[in-house]
Amino acid sequence: MTWIKIKRVITSGFFNFWRNGFISLSSILVMMVTLFVIGATIFSGAILSSTLQEIRDKVDINVYLVRSANENDILELKKNIEQLPEVLLPVVYVSRDLALANFKKRHENDQFTLQALDELGENPLGATLNIKAKDPSQYETIAEFLQNQSTLSPNGESIIDKVNYYQNKAAIDRLSHIINSANRLSFILTVFMIIISILITFNTLRLVIYMSREEISVMRLVGASTMYIRGPFFVAGAIYGFISAILTLIIFYPITIWLGGATQSFFVGFNIFSYYTSHFGEIFLIIVGSGVIIGSISSYLAVCKYLKI
Amino acid sequence: MISFDKVSKIYPDNSVALKDVSFSIEPKEFISIVGHSGAGKTTLLKMFLAEEKPSGGKVYFESVDIHSLNKREINHFRRKIGVVFQDFRLLSHKNIYENIAFAMEAAGRSDEEIEADVPHVLDLVDLGKKIWNFPKELSGGEKQRVAIARAIVNQPDIIIADEPTGNLDPLNTHEIVQILKKINDLGTTVILTTHNKGVIDSLGKRVVTMENGKIIRDDKNGRYVI
């Protein structure tokens, strides 16, 4: 008997959806706006985190070592630094020779500089260690650690010549602050947009069900149970959500292709179309799940008001 | 079978819709309730259908206080009653077959019963040929006959007809009244509310007259006197 009831509720839900063509169409369009906002939020979240990651990757601190530093001491220092939990591996060691080669390459069109370098007769550059922290806020700890290093060169001086953290401290702190604020703001905006969209959908479905209020009262008066009255609206709401979700996913396809090139060049290395295709499974589940849940729950709640008879 | 015991209904704005109404309805009776608009006829029916709760007094159906029933029991109770409204209240997106089948589905009847009974009940109200039409494709009289078919398909103990001829021309009015009489002759209790003097006078059945929420006359073979 229960199976017959479920079958009837589902069939009735499909008929409600199909025969209220115009109402169904307008509900689907409104739900598409909601799901589009949710999708856009996913994309902007991905763009934001990719951009922030890009910026994070660009921040590092360089430890300039004295020219007389022994390579074994440098490698020992590198090993010690790599043992810090705040440090993102690997710490890059740029030897004196490599530093010179890099310098020459950077100035290959600058004959005066290269000439001056030749006249010096020896390599004026010291080795460096490039360190990246897992989080920008952790650079201070790393810098403090470096300051307390007491490895000495054969000349009896500290092998660490200079740590550029203190020159860049203000910029790093600022960046750290911007990243935290951007994350917080994007979270608040996401929640706000999603709540607004859900409310719009809820109100639209409430209007749809308002138009059926007489029908609901008739159902009540012929002795239909609450589940029997609510069921078809619940099913129709889920269908609205499912179809809106599929249409939204289809619309995202040309939009992301169109925006792909622009995002690639604007947000270095982030192509929105590649992101869409590589994360399609997750996005599909989020959009379809949101559509079906918002549609069915909104309908379920909206019918309550008319079930009091 | 049905009895109203000192039933009153006072709305929050202090308007009195019913005041100490007491009367009984016997099984298989055909009773007409008449009165001006606002006399309390529809409120009385709403009390019986448990659409509204009385402010005082009790409504009994077969010795059970209707307003003491829970939601589930009210659903079962309502399946024993067929209701016909002035504005038909058919489900516009369902065809005639589905409108009637819906009432049977709500009562938990099987698909086989539905397939057998719906065409049969539509033949009784002479609408067998319009079984697949939608309500908007029918005339007022035809819609009301569908509403009656929906009301009787579950073979209820009672039919409530709330001004069923209010929107109909004299010819359709006559047809509807004849159908209600036939239903009553087959053993179903009929409660009719109407403004139509001609209908009441032609019936020659019990007439309860209401005014300002009170019963002012109760005649066994009554006429329309206000």
Side-chain angles (χ1 to χ4, degrees), chain A residues 97-161:
Chain A
D97 294 341
L98 190 58
L100 184 65
N102 288 345
F103 184 85
K104 280 183 176 169
K105 199 171 174 203
R106 212 161 46 235
H107 295 91
E108 60 190 351
N109 297 324
D110 185 354
Q111 285 307 315
F112 288 115
T113 309
L114 291 178
Q115 226 169 354
L117 197 64
D118 284 342
E119 279 170 18
L120 275 175
E122 60 166 342
N123 183 358
L125 302 172
T128 52
L129 289 172
N130 295 334
I131 306 167
K132 279 196 167 81
K134 285 178 184 156
D135 190 278
S137 62
Q138 293 165 332
Y139 281 111
E140 183 141 22
T141 323
I142 298 170
E144 274 170 21
F145 170 80
L146 292 168
Q147 216 169 20
N148 297 330
Q149 286 302 299
S150 53
T151 314
L152 300 177
S153 71
N155 300 344
E157 55 182 358
S158 169
I159 62 166
I160 296 175
D161 181 22

Side-chain angles (χ1 to χ4, degrees), chain B residues 67-78:
Chain B
H67 297 278
S68 69
L69 300 175
N70 62 31
K71 275 226 152 144
R72 201 188 170 88
E73 290 166 332
I74 285 176
N75 289 338
H76 283 278
F77 160 68
R78 283 174 176 163

Side-chain angles (χ1 to χ4, degrees), chain A residues 9-21:
Chain A
V9 162
I10 293 173
T11 314
S12 183
F14 268 98
F15 275 117
N16 281 0
F17 169 79
W18 186 247
R19 287 180 182 162
N20 293 323

